[in-house]
Amino acid sequence: MKPASTYSEISEGVLLLHQQIVGLAKENPEIQSLYKGCQLLFSPLLERPKILLIGFNPGSGYYNWHGKIGEEFQPMKALEYYLNTHPLADQTKSLFRQAGMEEDLQYHTVKTNFYYWATDNVADFNRLLKKLPEELSQKIFHQARVWTKQLIDGLQPHMIIAEGFKAYDEIAVLFPEKLQEESSGSVRSFVTPKGLKVLGYKRNQGSIIGKEEVVKSLFVFESTIENWKS
């Protein structure tokens, strides 16, 4: 299935779950205070991108800036890190610049999250799931895995970079068989049997921990996919 078809199918399903949460928020102040909106992509939709960036879930930046929940189901015109200024954007651009990969980040990257539903932080996301009806929470939990795997298979990236260990752990579940699995204080990585490289780095909100180690790991990963454009 082509990426656009895959994305359209995922988007329709995500919208339905978003609408359910919005409906519940109107009746429940606790849900309303936790839920900050929904967004699938923070970049253009590219076929066979060099990098697929996956975070855990969107933050509350849009809500804080505009005073209303975010509802964005279309790809963005450029990678969000180059459209807005915030700590994670600055740290990520600096990281890839040091690794000699900023052009790849800016022009050959698709950015998404494992969970598309926005909250202030991961703890609030977990609180949100507990406040929602169990059936809906279970569906969000299950469909996030289904949709992320569909997106990966549809896009066929050459490298997945998880923004934070929580995102990395979620992605790792999708690939039971791992080759060349490595783990350190700041970086974890593995290669799938089909050769897809997956790397995750430690994060604390907008800060990337152990940047020097992450830069070295990115450099090694990047050097092994020189034939990406062919």
Side-chain angles (χ1 to χ4, degrees), residues 2 9 20 30 69 89 99 103 110 121 124 140 145 150 152 161-162 167 182 210 212:
K2 288 288 187 179
E9 183 180 297
Q20 290 183 55
E30 290 182 286
I69 65 170
E103 182 179 340
V110 172
N121 48 52
D124 275 2
I140 288 171
R145 282 159 174 69
Q150 285 179 344
I152 291 169
I161 298 179
E182 298 182 9
E212 289 186 6

Side-chain angles (χ1 to χ4, degrees), residues 113-133:
N113 288 282
F114 199 90
Y115 297 99
Y116 306 122
W117 305 274
T119 56
D120 270 334
N121 48 52
V122 174
D124 275 2
F125 180 77
N126 292 329
R127 291 189 193 101
L128 175 65
L129 289 184
K130 290 178 181 177
K131 297 294 180 184
L132 296 175

Side-chain angles (χ1 to χ4, degrees), residues 1-225:
M1 188 180 292
K2 288 288 187 179
S5 299
T6 301
Y7 182 81
S8 178
E9 183 180 297
I10 294 171
S11 181
E12 289 176 8
V14 174
L15 175 59
L16 290 175
L17 295 184
H18 165 68
Q19 290 171 336
Q20 290 183 55
I21 300 173
V22 169
L24 291 163
K26 292 177 181 177
E27 308 296 329
N28 188 321
E30 290 182 286
I31 294 175
Q32 187 174 45
S33 69
L34 291 167
Y35 191 52
K36 306 301 181 184
C38 186
Q39 183 165 349
L40 276 72
L41 284 191
F42 289 77
S43 71
L45 180 65
L46 308 174
E47 187 170 2
R48 292 183 59 80
K50 186 167 186 181
I51 300 166
L52 176 59
L53 276 180
I54 304 180
F56 184 82
N57 79 309
S60 56
Y62 183 93
Y63 180 88
N64 294 338
W65 185 259
H66 297 279
K68 60 181 180 180
I69 65 170
E71 296 179 297
E72 185 54 72
F73 299 93
Q74 296 299 319
M76 300 185 76
K77 63 181 181 180
L79 183 65
E80 189 272 340
Y81 293 159
Y82 290 90
L83 299 175
N84 299 302
T85 300
H86 52 83
L88 181 58
D90 294 340
Q91 289 248 335
T92 303
K93 288 185 287 187
S94 172
L95 180 73
F96 280 81
R97 191 177 303 123
Q98 290 178 52
M101 296 175 63
E102 189 172 13
E103 182 179 340
D104 294 326
L105 177 70
Q106 187 170 2
Y107 298 112
H108 307 297
T109 293
V110 172
K111 155 71 181 161
T112 187
N113 288 282
F114 199 90
Y115 297 99
Y116 306 122
W117 305 274
T119 56
D120 270 334
N121 48 52
V122 174
D124 275 2
F125 180 77
N126 292 329
R127 291 189 193 101
L128 175 65
L129 289 184
K130 290 178 181 177
K131 297 294 180 184
L132 296 175
E134 184 176 357
E135 184 179 352
L136 179 56
S137 292
Q138 297 251 342
K139 191 163 188 178
I140 288 171
F141 190 75
H142 171 73
Q143 287 301 132
R145 282 159 174 69
V146 172
W147 288 329
T148 300
K149 188 63 167 62
Q150 285 179 344
L151 192 63
I152 291 169
D153 291 344
L155 294 178
Q156 298 183 6
H158 288 257
M159 177 193 307
I160 294 175
I161 298 179
E163 299 180 291
F165 283 168
K166 290 186 183 299
Y168 177 87
D169 290 342
E170 297 283 6
I171 296 163
V173 172
L174 305 178
F175 299 96
E177 190 176 350
K178 301 174 182 64
L179 309 176
Q180 303 173 36
E181 195 167 7
E182 298 182 9
S183 179
S184 68
S186 301
V187 182
R188 296 174 186 169
S189 65
F190 66 88
V191 179
T192 72
K194 291 184 177 181
L196 174 61
K197 302 177 187 303
V198 181
L199 179 146
Y201 48 73
K202 190 173 183 179
R203 260 187 62 195
N204 181 13
Q205 296 290 15
S207 297
I208 298 170
I209 310 300
K211 284 179 69 176
E212 289 186 6
E213 184 182 1
V214 179
V215 166
K216 290 178 182 177
S217 297
L218 281 175
F219 185 79
V220 171
F221 257 46
E222 197 274 340
S223 66
T224 63
I225 54 173

